[in-house]
Amino acid sequence: MSKTKGNLTLPSESGFLDETVEMMERWGADALRDSDGTKLPDEIKNLDAKIYTTYFVSRGHNDFSREHMDETQSIYLMTRHNVATEEELTISIMDGYYREQVQPNYSYDPKIFWEVMDRTLDQVVDSSLWTVDEEKNTVTLNHTEPFHEYTVSFLVKAIWDPTQMYNHITNNWGEKEHDIPFDVRKKYSNEYIHSYMEKWLEENPRTDVVRFTTFFYHFTLVFNEKGKEKFVDWFGYSASVSIEALEAFEKEKGYRLRPEHIVDKGYYNTAFRVPTKEYLDFIDFQSRFVADEAKKLVDRVHAHGKEAMMFLGDNWIGTEPYGKYFKEIGLDAVVGSVGGGATLRMISGIPGVKYTEGRFLPYFFPDTFREGNDPTIEAKENWLSARRAILRKPVDRIGYGGYLSLAYQFPKFVDYIESVADEFRDIHGKIAGVKPYTGIKVAVLNSWGELRSWQTHMVAHALWYKQIYSYLGVLEALSGSSADVSFISFDDVRKNGVPEDVDVIINAGDAMTAFSGGEEWLDPKLVATIRRWIHEGGGFIGIGEPSAVHHGGRFFQLADALGIDKELGFSLSTDKYFRTPVEDHFITENTRTDIDFGEGMKNIYALYEDTEILSYHDGQVELSAHDYGRGRAVYIAGLPFNMENSRLLHRAMFYSAHKEKDMSVLYADNIEVEVHGYPSIEKYAVVNNSDRPQETTVWDHEGKETSLALHPSEIRWISYGEKA
Amino acid sequence: MSKTKGNLTLPSESGFLDETVEMMERWGADALRDSDGTKLPDEIKNLDAKIYTTYFVSRGHNDFSREHMDETQSIYLMTRHNVATEEELTISIMDGYYREQVQPNYSYDPKIFWEVMDRTLDQVVDSSLWTVDEEKNTVTLNHTEPFHEYTVSFLVKAIWDPTQMYNHITNNWGEKEHDIPFDVRKKYSNEYIHSYMEKWLEENPRTDVVRFTTFFYHFTLVFNEKGKEKFVDWFGYSASVSIEALEAFEKEKGYRLRPEHIVDKGYYNTAFRVPTKEYLDFIDFQSRFVADEAKKLVDRVHAHGKEAMMFLGDNWIGTEPYGKYFKEIGLDAVVGSVGGGATLRMISGIPGVKYTEGRFLPYFFPDTFREGNDPTIEAKENWLSARRAILRKPVDRIGYGGYLSLAYQFPKFVDYIESVADEFRDIHGKIAGVKPYTGIKVAVLNSWGELRSWQTHMVAHALWYKQIYSYLGVLEALSGSSADVSFISFDDVRKNGVPEDVDVIINAGDAMTAFSGGEEWLDPKLVATIRRWIHEGGGFIGIGEPSAVHHGGRFFQLADALGIDKELGFSLSTDKYFRTPVEDHFITENTRTDIDFGEGMKNIYALYEDTEILSYHDGQVELSAHDYGRGRAVYIAGLPFNMENSRLLHRAMFYSAHKEKDMSVLYADNIEVEVHGYPSIEKYAVVNNSDRPQETTVWDHEGKETSLALHPSEIRWISYGEKA
């Protein structure tokens, strides 16, 4: 591949001028950035590159914050469950919370803004029945129901920005001052945020790109009494509340939010909860406001001839990049951290910006760049998984973060990234803006729909949890699949039915979560709409506990379509005769022996003789298919990501949509190899996703078959009509 | 052991006189019985033995049945779920049912006695919206809601007794006539049942014991269109319905039962369903009736100077041996099949009879007694597991069934049973009527309570199911444990609190089942009562999903006491720090490395730092303990039966009740060895439950310690004060 330049952002730092020049050259960087803990000196700012500068809107201005401590940000918190062993119960509200992060806010009458809940009854305790001791940070209930559990929902001032707190504690910053976050909804803070931006823009003429990190409200990240993470929700809105917000909400939406609408029994409306109307209203309300305020900042940036880029993370709450207000902000770009294919698509798919940038791993920090460790391994994994997604919908730029001086000490790594950079530019040059060939259109159906495109089953950005990896694999598989992927919500289906061009619906998740749908499936209209759609020829793929809510003698409300259900113990008396797997099946044609279903699912059984069981193990169905009218439904117990499962899902999609014959177009039979076609440029790429040589049969755009050998991780570009 | 005689029932048969005499001598039999397929000839009936004769009340009288086909028994059945793909839907009601067993009953207006349900809405379809075609056995709905699911609940005549049907099909009885069951509630059947009994008693003067097999209604056993088992519920009442019963019910209870109250969404109120008020009322209503009618038969038996014995099974529905009407029947004895310790206790604990008898395994049938097979193996397992329970509460007699001529051909088996018989008589002679020493009192808490003592988690009598073995182990362990075991219901606790002498409550089962309790735990009174009871010093052991119902931010409503909860996906955002098992613990002191938790339980996590984790595997807690006030709660993920788990439960009981110090009384540290004390006769038995020699330390009634070596499966009887 020939040496190219551009589309790459390099971190730099003081005292590293010559090496920066060298690295810019080798990696073809056209932009330089600062990072957490680094600043770009003037000598570097004067190099021939775009200069990105990190900008904090709502923290890092303690001179202001300290003088406006009544304008700090607020969080609604819930205490532990406290059991009343006597008629009187005193609850220490700060138990389990970190006093350096949050402090009870007594400025607003607790009797109005706090709530004491009897969790055993699930009822509010009348405010006349409790008192607050501001000295001791306690709430005392005078007449409990003995042995009921009680919680207090209370308002705190956030006095330490969570990201800085995390870095501060992790890196032992000792005496370094704590960043106090202030709230754009408050009078002086709002004035300050806008006036300071203006001042800063004037003072930073050399900055080309203002990298907002980010706007106003941090995702929920609360520490415990030991200064360790207690609660983390990358999507959480609980740190975006304030009295002002609650009052404006009431004015706008016509009703008052209760603390319970925010603390939500202690779950704080994580994305796994089927969202309540109130919570969706609050998201809408805050998104509208955040867009309005962010737009003012972006307008100022533009007025100074600079670009505005948003970091997807930290204080991103309310931006909702896939929401209806985001475009109005007018951002030029979004940058986000790439953990794999799904997170890449989350970034590259954001509508309404001029370009997107992915920050690739590893970050140049001493944990990875240490003697004896080979950072190339992580880089390669990261690149190969992201590349699948890039070939579907590329980000426009790639970049790195951290200390360039560290990475510089690992020549093998520098070499590898040099090749990655060239390969990225080659791909981007060919396919940016080109619509790839898709053989099938799939819609992921859950409570969130488009609003949370590529963001399902996530707790904290790209972190592994035992309860999610068997579902995240679905998104990761789709991120590099030749399917056209969309996200639709139950509300969409209720309102508009299933979009006409959708071939396959995927519903994946644990029972009662927003991703499976829980009580949404009690809606007869939803159930009937989906059943009809499948019956008339649609494909449905259920993973884990699809459509699960116990009702009408079924656990899976689409059991009739899926041909399987889950035994809850109530139907043990009914004999389960259908246990014999079919010998061969289209779906498992490329599959080796033991499929990895991840956490899998217990007690799934076939309902009908014509349910095709494809995998049966330990008394339960793990994989099955079932004809339903002119359509088909497929069940998969779990789908952690690997190339074999990715292929399994791919085949299941074509099978469920009765499009088996269409599959052998721009397709390779080796599971490590994928083919991406680009009709408008009459090219296709045959991609070896593995780090080993591969041989495969390839079907071109006309379904013509040839054999091919590929080098480790090779991309072979072939023009339509050209011999492979 | 010296040769003894008595307490043993032998099956015999025609042409086997000499051998019967020999076997009676060797096994010390004092009673002879017929079996399914055998009759006792006069020569055998004249031997010196009590003669048992099997008596069928409601079947086996086809001359009568055929003339009264309007008096056959009835069953409420539910069709499959049928999805409406058009406005009109025709449901073939007999699809999936066996026409030789059941036939739709059109004698009573379907518009009154049947029900069409929209299962999607969970609503009854108005009877004006459907029609019945009696020729085709169909129900047609004229105006469906498209893509809703519908079922028909309909009444059928049962025209083949299920037990005879099973034997008939299994043994290829070909042309042999089908037994047609008739209903004691109907006029002529009632008259016939009583008059025939009288006649029979007169004609069978040599019968000493009338072995009722059984009374009026068979447990639910329905076959499918292929003549195979479709539905089996050993406790099911759905075959005890009739128009007469429904009308009498309405008169007695003041309201009308709907078909839905019987078919229960197709679950037919299995014992795993938290029972509804209507179902409990129906059980009560039928039990009262069955007791009244059975008493009349028993009175006749007594009038003829004979004994009345009931077989625990087959047509036993409505007898409810632990129910409040059973004693009134006036039976002399109950006999039942012994599958292990728990089923033995189920028999031996039945109150209100003069004696109980256990039918031991194997049954003398050709499946076990075939060339090359050693029936001693099954016999030994059966005896050793039953013996544990006998030592706590003996049955009064043991017996066997089948073809004696078969067993006679296996001399090793004959020898073994000879020793079993002597051992049984020795035990019975020593401890019948003697209260054994109990160090602790435990109550098993579920929806059924005392009514279903020793009958929890059972689908069909003693059959293995994947979903139950991890709970059945609890009962099996308790059956031979030195704990005083009782069964209490949630209603008992609501009405009367926890009985004063209970040390430990066990709640074991899958979420939402009657054994765990499901929505019963939404009752604040129940929750508060149990919490208070633990807090004031009680011991609570939760197994599987104890107290589980999602409410108030908890899945386990006793999570605060247990110190653990189950992650449903909603609290993934909350960090789970407590994962480190304690090194040593009282509960696991006798435990080897890997405890077998059976099916186990996913996603259990510790809530508190002071939750003692005793086993943690694959990211989840499997065994834990937690102090709660002056009490303690223990969590176990599952407890299939083995001696190690039995010991674990034993220690957990003493630990949870804070009675650790009391455990070393009449106790052995080797898990294969148990000690049973009998204070009133000042003896204790040290029992080797294994088939291998064992050495152990034994603590006597005063807690004095000695060492002991035991032969395989030995019982060592030691007098108080005597040197072991």
Side-chain angles (χ1 to χ4, degrees):
Chain A
M1 215 166 294
S2 59
K3 194 84 220 114
T4 53
K5 186 175 176 202
N7 308 69
L8 190 139
T9 307
L10 204 63
S12 188
E13 59 197 281
S14 301
F16 206 64
L17 180 62
D18 292 345
E19 296 90 337
T20 299
V21 171
E22 182 194 337
M23 290 290 287
M24 282 180 69
E25 182 68 28
R26 290 198 58 188
W27 291 4
D30 60 352
L32 291 169
R33 58 166 291 207
D34 52 6
S35 292
D36 289 0
T38 62
K39 287 256 172 240
L40 297 187
D42 285 345
E43 52 180 22
I44 281 178
K45 283 189 184 167
N46 290 331
L47 290 171
D48 178 23
K50 264 184 162 179
I51 300 298
Y52 291 14
T53 310
T54 299
Y55 186 87
F56 297 112
V57 173
S58 306
R59 62 144 164 145
H61 301 269
N62 278 4
D63 289 345
F64 169 81
S65 304
R66 270 191 308 271
E67 285 180 16
H68 299 87
M69 288 302 285
D70 52 340
E71 295 206 350
T72 58
Q73 295 189 10
S74 306
I75 313 179
Y76 257 129
L77 294 180
M78 191 186 92
T79 63
R80 293 175 179 170
H81 285 65
N82 297 267
V83 71
T85 54
E86 290 163 14
E87 214 183 323
E88 190 178 291
L89 171 68
T90 295
I91 298 175
S92 292
I93 58 175
M94 287 295 288
D95 266 14
Y97 290 107
Y98 189 40
R99 283 153 204 264
E100 299 204 45
Q101 182 189 9
V102 294
Q103 287 180 346
N105 186 340
Y106 297 113
S107 310
Y108 302 94
D109 188 355
K111 297 277 177 172
I112 297 171
F113 293 103
W114 297 17
E115 220 168 47
V116 177
M117 291 289 296
D118 178 330
R119 292 288 170 194
T120 305
L121 293 177
D122 217 3
Q123 283 174 8
V124 181
V125 176
D126 192 278
S127 62
S128 65
L129 297 173
W130 49 270
T131 54
V132 177
D133 184 327
E134 299 189 12
E135 290 298 307
K136 296 181 178 158
N137 291 329
T138 57
V139 168
T140 297
L141 285 76
N142 307 100
H143 300 286
T144 68
E145 295 282 340
F147 290 94
H148 284 208
E149 284 188 309
Y150 294 89
T151 62
V152 180
S153 309
F154 61 110
L155 207 60
V156 294
K157 298 175 178 223
I159 54 171
W160 196 355
D161 173 81
T163 293
Q164 201 229 9
M165 176 174 67
Y166 174 84
N167 290 332
H168 201 289
I169 293 172
T170 307
N171 300 317
N172 290 311
W173 286 350
E175 291 304 300
K176 189 179 162 94
E177 205 180 2
H178 297 179
D179 279 0
I180 304 167
F182 43 99
D183 189 345
V184 68
R185 277 207 188 259
K186 314 258 181 175
K187 183 165 181 287
Y188 296 103
S189 298
N190 190 290
E191 280 171 21
Y192 179 82
I193 282 168
H194 294 293
S195 62
Y196 185 85
M197 173 103 254
E198 191 60 34
K199 180 163 167 276
W200 185 90
L201 286 165
E202 278 158 21
E203 288 170 359
N204 286 272
R206 188 55 193 93
T207 295
D208 300 298
V209 180
V210 180
R211 186 182 184 276
F212 284 102
T213 309
T214 314
F215 293 112
F216 313 111
Y217 302 113
H218 204 283
F219 62 81
T220 314
L221 178 59
V222 178
F223 275 31
N224 69 17
E225 72 282 7
K226 294 173 180 163
K228 290 191 172 160
E229 187 184 286
K230 176 189 180 72
F231 184 95
V232 58
D233 177 8
W234 201 57
F235 302 96
Y237 274 74
S238 18
S240 77
V241 296
S242 62
I243 302 305
E244 290 79 358
L246 295 173
E247 283 169 354
F249 179 93
E250 186 176 0
K251 221 165 164 180
E252 188 176 316
K253 300 290 183 188
Y255 67 96
R256 216 175 145 73
L257 283 182
R258 286 174 45 204
E260 185 63 12
H261 293 133
I262 305 297
V263 304
D264 177 31
K265 305 177 201 301
Y267 303 133
Y268 299 95
N269 301 295
T270 79
F272 290 76
R273 296 277 290 163
V274 173
T276 58
K277 177 194 176 300
E278 292 82 4
Y279 186 56
L280 289 174
D281 280 352
F282 189 66
I283 290 177
D284 180 80
F285 162 79
Q286 287 292 55
S287 304
R288 166 85 270 167
F289 173 78
V290 164
D292 289 348
E293 289 297 318
K295 180 179 191 312
K296 291 184 207 163
L297 296 176
V298 169
D299 285 350
R300 285 184 195 275
V301 171
H302 288 162
H304 283 262
K306 302 179 193 306
E307 289 185 340
M309 172 183 271
M310 171 185 128
F311 172 63
L312 194 74
D314 293 6
N315 297 55
W316 75 309
I317 290 305
T319 62
E320 297 292 349
Y322 289 88
K324 57 186 172 185
Y325 307 117
F326 180 75
K327 284 190 273 301
E328 297 172 18
I329 301 175
L331 283 160
D332 299 281
V334 172
V335 60
S337 171
V338 175
T343 50
L344 186 126
R345 292 291 294 266
M346 171 171 69
I347 299 162
S348 70
I350 293 173
V353 290
K354 298 198 192 92
Y355 62 95
T356 56
E357 178 169 324
R359 196 197 67 206
F360 279 66
L361 299 177
Y363 208 75
F364 307 162
F365 263 3
D367 52 349
T368 308
F369 291 83
R370 62 174 203 276
E371 218 180 292
N373 190 46
D374 180 4
T376 319
I377 295 168
E378 188 182 345
K380 198 172 277 184
E381 274 175 22
N382 190 241
W383 173 243
L384 289 186
S385 62
R387 193 179 69 173
R388 291 182 67 232
I390 287 173
L391 284 155
R392 304 306 307 170
K393 172 72 181 166
V395 288
D396 299 294
R397 304 179 54 81
I398 63 175
Y400 295 86
Y403 299 93
L404 186 60
S405 56
L406 267 178
Y408 189 76
Q409 296 163 39
F410 290 75
K412 188 176 156 198
F413 176 78
V414 172
D415 287 351
Y416 180 68
I417 300 301
E418 187 172 346
S419 71
V420 164
D422 287 334
E423 186 167 84
F424 170 70
R425 281 184 289 262
D426 182 54
I427 297 170
H428 189 266
K430 287 191 173 75
I431 70 159
V434 174
K435 201 175 142 44
Y437 167 80
T438 52
I440 202 149
K441 172 143 187 176
V442 57
V444 177
L445 173 66
N446 59 42
S447 292
W448 295 106
E450 191 185 359
L451 183 72
R452 297 283 167 84
S453 295
W454 299 105
Q455 295 162 50
T456 68
H457 298 97
M458 235 190 270
V459 179
H461 183 273
L463 284 193
W464 187 94
Y465 286 75
K466 177 179 167 69
Q467 291 83 358
I468 67 175
Y469 77 95
S470 310
Y471 300 118
L472 281 176
V474 179
L475 283 207
E476 191 63 23
L478 290 174
S479 74
S481 136
S482 62
D484 183 355
V485 184
S486 62
F487 293 82
I488 60 173
S489 73
F490 301 112
D491 273 347
D492 295 339
V493 173
R494 269 188 284 260
K495 278 180 204 144
N496 312 313
V498 178
E500 237 181 47
D501 55 351
V502 166
D503 297 302
V504 182
I505 288 174
I506 295 179
N507 179 236
D510 279 340
M512 308 310 283
T513 64
F515 303 114
S516 167
E519 292 181 357
E520 306 250 24
W521 292 102
L522 294 180
D523 178 0
K525 193 177 168 192
L526 172 70
V527 175
T529 303
I530 300 286
R531 277 198 193 126
R532 180 194 290 275
W533 179 83
I534 304 170
H535 206 268
E536 291 176 353
F540 182 89
I541 300 180
I543 301 170
E545 296 178 297
S547 75
V549 58
H550 189 220
H551 174 75
R554 303 284 205 196
F555 187 48
F556 296 166
Q557 291 306 305
L558 295 178
D560 60 325
L562 288 158
I564 50 103
D565 203 353
K566 183 173 177 172
E567 173 62 62
L568 300 178
F570 307 137
S571 50
L572 286 173
S573 282
T574 298
D575 288 89
K576 314 289 192 306
Y577 284 107
F578 313 123
R579 286 177 290 218
T580 312
V582 297
E583 296 225 341
D584 299 300
H585 198 278
F586 180 84
I587 292 177
T588 46
E589 214 170 90
N590 280 165
T591 308
R592 288 165 300 208
T593 46
D594 270 359
I595 302 167
D596 178 4
F597 295 102
E599 291 298 297
M601 193 49 64
K602 280 203 168 183
N603 300 326
I604 305 296
Y605 68 97
L607 280 170
Y608 311 117
E609 197 161 7
D610 67 349
T611 302
E612 300 172 315
I613 298 172
L614 311 188
S615 178
Y616 189 90
H617 183 67
D618 194 23
Q620 50 222 0
V621 173
E622 296 174 318
L623 179 63
S624 65
H626 184 240
D627 278 23
Y628 187 70
R630 297 200 303 280
R632 280 174 176 160
V634 172
Y635 175 75
I636 311 175
L639 200 88
F641 182 69
N642 58 49
M643 287 313 295
E644 185 173 31
N645 281 349
S646 188
R647 180 59 54 90
L648 189 149
L649 181 64
H650 191 79
R651 299 188 71 98
M653 288 191 289
F654 280 85
Y655 182 79
S656 68
H658 275 285
K659 287 194 162 187
E660 297 97 312
K661 283 181 187 150
D662 297 356
M663 201 188 64
S664 294
V665 171
L666 296 168
Y667 176 76
D669 65 349
N670 182 327
I671 61 162
E672 302 290 353
V673 178
E674 284 171 318
V675 181
H676 303 281
Y678 306 94
S680 67
I681 60 169
E682 301 199 340
K683 272 190 202 319
Y684 60 97
V686 185
V687 186
N688 179 356
N689 291 305
S690 81
D691 199 17
R692 301 171 306 281
Q694 299 290 346
E695 294 185 5
T696 185
T697 300
V698 171
W699 287 262
D700 73 5
H701 62 297
E702 289 173 329
K704 272 187 277 180
E705 185 177 333
T706 40
S707 289
L708 214 70
L710 294 162
H711 298 298
S713 63
E714 181 183 355
I715 303 185
R716 183 85 54 89
W717 291 93
I718 302 167
S719 293
Y720 280 15
E722 182 189 344
K723 242 189 121 55
Chain B
M1 216 164 294
S2 58
K3 195 83 219 113
T4 52
K5 185 174 176 203
N7 307 69
L8 189 138
T9 306
L10 202 64
S12 188
E13 60 196 279
S14 302
F16 207 62
L17 179 63
D18 291 348
E19 296 90 339
T20 299
V21 171
E22 181 194 338
M23 291 290 289
M24 280 181 69
E25 181 66 33
R26 289 197 59 186
W27 290 3
D30 59 352
L32 292 169
R33 58 167 292 209
D34 52 6
S35 291
D36 288 359
T38 62
K39 287 257 170 242
L40 297 187
D42 285 345
E43 52 180 23
I44 282 177
K45 282 190 184 166
N46 290 330
L47 290 172
D48 178 23
K50 263 185 165 180
I51 300 299
Y52 290 16
T53 310
T54 300
Y55 187 87
F56 296 113
V57 172
S58 307
R59 62 142 162 145
H61 301 268
N62 277 6
D63 290 344
F64 170 80
S65 305
R66 271 190 309 269
E67 286 181 17
H68 298 89
M69 288 303 286
D70 52 338
E71 294 207 349
T72 58
Q73 294 190 11
S74 308
I75 313 178
Y76 257 129
L77 294 180
M78 192 187 93
T79 63
R80 292 175 178 167
H81 286 63
N82 296 269
V83 72
T85 55
E86 291 164 13
E87 216 184 320
E88 191 179 291
L89 171 68
T90 295
I91 298 176
S92 293
I93 57 175
M94 286 294 289
D95 267 15
Y97 290 107
Y98 189 41
R99 281 152 206 262
E100 299 203 46
Q101 184 190 8
V102 294
Q103 288 180 343
N105 187 341
Y106 297 114
S107 311
Y108 303 94
D109 188 357
K111 296 277 178 172
I112 297 172
F113 293 103
W114 298 16
E115 219 169 46
V116 177
M117 290 288 298
D118 179 331
R119 292 289 170 193
T120 305
L121 293 177
D122 217 4
Q123 282 173 11
V124 180
V125 177
D126 192 278
S127 62
S128 66
L129 298 173
W130 49 271
T131 54
V132 177
D133 184 328
E134 298 189 12
E135 289 298 307
K136 295 181 178 157
N137 290 328
T138 58
V139 168
T140 298
L141 285 77
N142 308 100
H143 300 286
T144 68
E145 294 283 342
F147 290 94
H148 284 208
E149 284 187 307
Y150 295 88
T151 61
V152 180
S153 310
F154 60 111
L155 205 60
V156 294
K157 297 174 179 224
I159 54 170
W160 198 355
D161 173 80
T163 292
Q164 202 230 9
M165 177 174 66
Y166 174 83
N167 290 332
H168 200 291
I169 294 172
T170 307
N171 300 317
N172 291 308
W173 286 352
E175 293 304 299
K176 191 180 159 97
E177 205 183 2
H178 297 179
D179 280 359
I180 305 167
F182 43 98
D183 188 344
V184 67
R185 273 204 191 262
K186 314 258 182 176
K187 184 165 179 289
Y188 296 102
S189 298
N190 191 287
E191 279 170 22
Y192 180 82
I193 283 168
H194 294 292
S195 62
Y196 186 85
M197 172 103 255
E198 189 60 32
K199 182 164 167 272
W200 186 91
L201 287 166
E202 277 158 23
E203 289 169 0
N204 285 272
R206 189 55 192 93
T207 296
D208 300 299
V209 179
V210 180
R211 187 180 183 276
F212 284 101
T213 307
T214 317
F215 293 113
F216 312 112
Y217 301 112
H218 204 283
F219 61 83
T220 313
L221 178 60
V222 177
F223 275 32
N224 68 17
E225 72 283 8
K226 294 172 181 163
K228 289 188 173 163
E229 187 184 285
K230 178 190 180 72
F231 185 94
V232 58
D233 177 6
W234 202 58
F235 302 96
Y237 274 74
S238 15
S240 76
V241 296
S242 62
I243 303 303
E244 290 78 359
L246 296 174
E247 284 169 355
F249 179 94
E250 186 176 359
K251 218 163 163 183
E252 186 176 319
K253 300 290 183 187
Y255 68 96
R256 217 175 144 72
L257 283 182
R258 286 175 45 206
E260 185 62 13
H261 292 133
I262 304 297
V263 305
D264 177 31
K265 304 178 203 299
Y267 302 135
Y268 299 95
N269 301 295
T270 81
F272 291 75
R273 297 276 289 161
V274 173
T276 59
K277 176 192 178 300
E278 292 82 4
Y279 187 55
L280 289 174
D281 280 353
F282 188 64
I283 290 178
D284 180 77
F285 162 76
Q286 286 293 53
S287 306
R288 167 84 269 169
F289 173 76
V290 163
D292 288 349
E293 290 295 318
K295 180 179 191 313
K296 290 184 208 163
L297 296 176
V298 169
D299 284 350
R300 282 183 198 277
V301 171
H302 288 163
H304 283 261
K306 302 178 193 308
E307 288 185 339
M309 172 182 273
M310 171 186 127
F311 173 63
L312 195 76
D314 293 6
N315 296 56
W316 77 308
I317 291 305
T319 62
E320 296 292 350
Y322 290 88
K324 57 185 170 184
Y325 307 117
F326 181 75
K327 283 191 273 301
E328 296 174 17
I329 300 176
L331 284 160
D332 299 282
V334 172
V335 59
S337 172
V338 175
T343 48
L344 188 126
R345 293 289 296 263
M346 173 171 67
I347 300 163
S348 69
I350 292 174
V353 288
K354 297 199 193 92
Y355 63 95
T356 57
E357 178 169 323
R359 197 195 66 207
F360 280 66
L361 299 177
Y363 207 75
F364 304 163
F365 262 4
D367 52 347
T368 308
F369 289 84
R370 61 173 203 276
E371 217 180 293
N373 190 46
D374 180 4
T376 318
I377 295 166
E378 190 183 343
K380 199 173 275 184
E381 274 175 26
N382 190 241
W383 172 244
L384 289 186
S385 63
R387 193 179 68 175
R388 289 183 67 232
I390 287 173
L391 285 155
R392 303 307 306 168
K393 170 74 182 165
V395 287
D396 298 294
R397 304 178 55 80
I398 64 175
Y400 294 87
Y403 299 93
L404 186 61
S405 56
L406 268 177
Y408 189 76
Q409 297 162 38
F410 289 75
K412 188 175 157 198
F413 176 78
V414 172
D415 286 351
Y416 181 66
I417 300 301
E418 186 174 345
S419 71
V420 164
D422 287 333
E423 186 167 83
F424 169 70
R425 281 185 289 263
D426 183 53
I427 297 170
H428 189 268
K430 287 192 172 74
I431 69 159
V434 174
K435 202 174 142 42
Y437 168 80
T438 53
I440 202 150
K441 171 144 188 176
V442 57
V444 176
L445 173 66
N446 58 42
S447 292
W448 294 107
E450 192 186 359
L451 184 70
R452 296 283 168 86
S453 295
W454 299 104
Q455 295 163 52
T456 68
H457 298 96
M458 236 191 269
V459 180
H461 182 272
L463 286 193
W464 186 94
Y465 284 76
K466 179 180 165 66
Q467 291 84 359
I468 66 175
Y469 76 93
S470 311
Y471 300 119
L472 280 177
V474 179
L475 283 208
E476 192 62 25
L478 289 176
S479 74
S481 134
S482 62
D484 183 355
V485 183
S486 61
F487 293 83
I488 60 173
S489 73
F490 300 113
D491 273 347
D492 294 339
V493 172
R494 270 188 283 258
K495 279 181 206 143
N496 312 314
V498 178
E500 237 181 46
D501 54 350
V502 167
D503 297 301
V504 182
I505 288 175
I506 295 180
N507 180 235
D510 279 341
M512 308 310 282
T513 64
F515 304 114
S516 166
E519 293 183 356
E520 306 249 25
W521 292 103
L522 294 180
D523 177 0
K525 193 176 168 193
L526 173 70
V527 175
T529 303
I530 301 285
R531 278 197 191 124
R532 180 195 289 276
W533 178 81
I534 305 171
H535 206 269
E536 291 176 353
F540 183 89
I541 300 180
I543 301 171
E545 296 178 297
S547 76
V549 57
H550 189 220
H551 173 77
R554 303 282 205 200
F555 187 48
F556 296 166
Q557 291 307 304
L558 295 179
D560 60 324
L562 288 159
I564 50 102
D565 203 352
K566 183 172 178 173
E567 174 61 61
L568 300 178
F570 308 136
S571 50
L572 286 173
S573 281
T574 298
D575 288 90
K576 314 290 192 305
Y577 284 108
F578 313 121
R579 286 178 291 221
T580 312
V582 296
E583 296 225 344
D584 299 299
H585 198 280
F586 179 82
I587 292 177
T588 46
E589 213 168 90
N590 280 165
T591 309
R592 289 165 299 208
T593 46
D594 270 359
I595 302 167
D596 179 5
F597 294 103
E599 291 298 298
M601 193 49 64
K602 280 203 167 185
N603 300 325
I604 305 296
Y605 67 97
L607 280 169
Y608 311 117
E609 197 161 7
D610 66 351
T611 302
E612 299 172 317
I613 298 173
L614 311 188
S615 178
Y616 189 90
H617 182 67
D618 193 21
Q620 49 224 0
V621 173
E622 297 175 315
L623 178 64
S624 65
H626 184 242
D627 280 22
Y628 187 70
R630 297 200 303 279
R632 280 173 176 162
V634 172
Y635 176 75
I636 311 175
L639 199 87
F641 181 70
N642 58 48
M643 288 312 299
E644 186 173 29
N645 280 351
S646 187
R647 181 58 54 89
L648 190 150
L649 181 64
H650 190 80
R651 298 188 71 98
M653 288 191 289
F654 280 87
Y655 182 78
S656 67
H658 275 286
K659 286 194 162 186
E660 297 97 312
K661 282 181 190 151
D662 297 354
M663 202 188 64
S664 296
V665 171
L666 295 168
Y667 177 75
D669 65 350
N670 181 327
I671 61 163
E672 303 290 354
V673 178
E674 284 171 320
V675 181
H676 303 282
Y678 306 93
S680 67
I681 58 168
E682 301 201 339
K683 274 188 199 324
Y684 60 97
V686 185
V687 186
N688 179 356
N689 291 305
S690 80
D691 199 18
R692 301 173 304 282
Q694 299 290 345
E695 294 185 4
T696 186
T697 300
V698 171
W699 287 263
D700 72 5
H701 62 295
E702 288 173 331
K704 271 187 276 180
E705 188 177 329
T706 38
S707 290
L708 213 66
L710 294 163
H711 298 299
S713 63
E714 180 184 356
I715 302 184
R716 181 85 54 90
W717 290 94
I718 301 167
S719 293
Y720 281 13
E722 183 189 345
K723 239 186 124 60

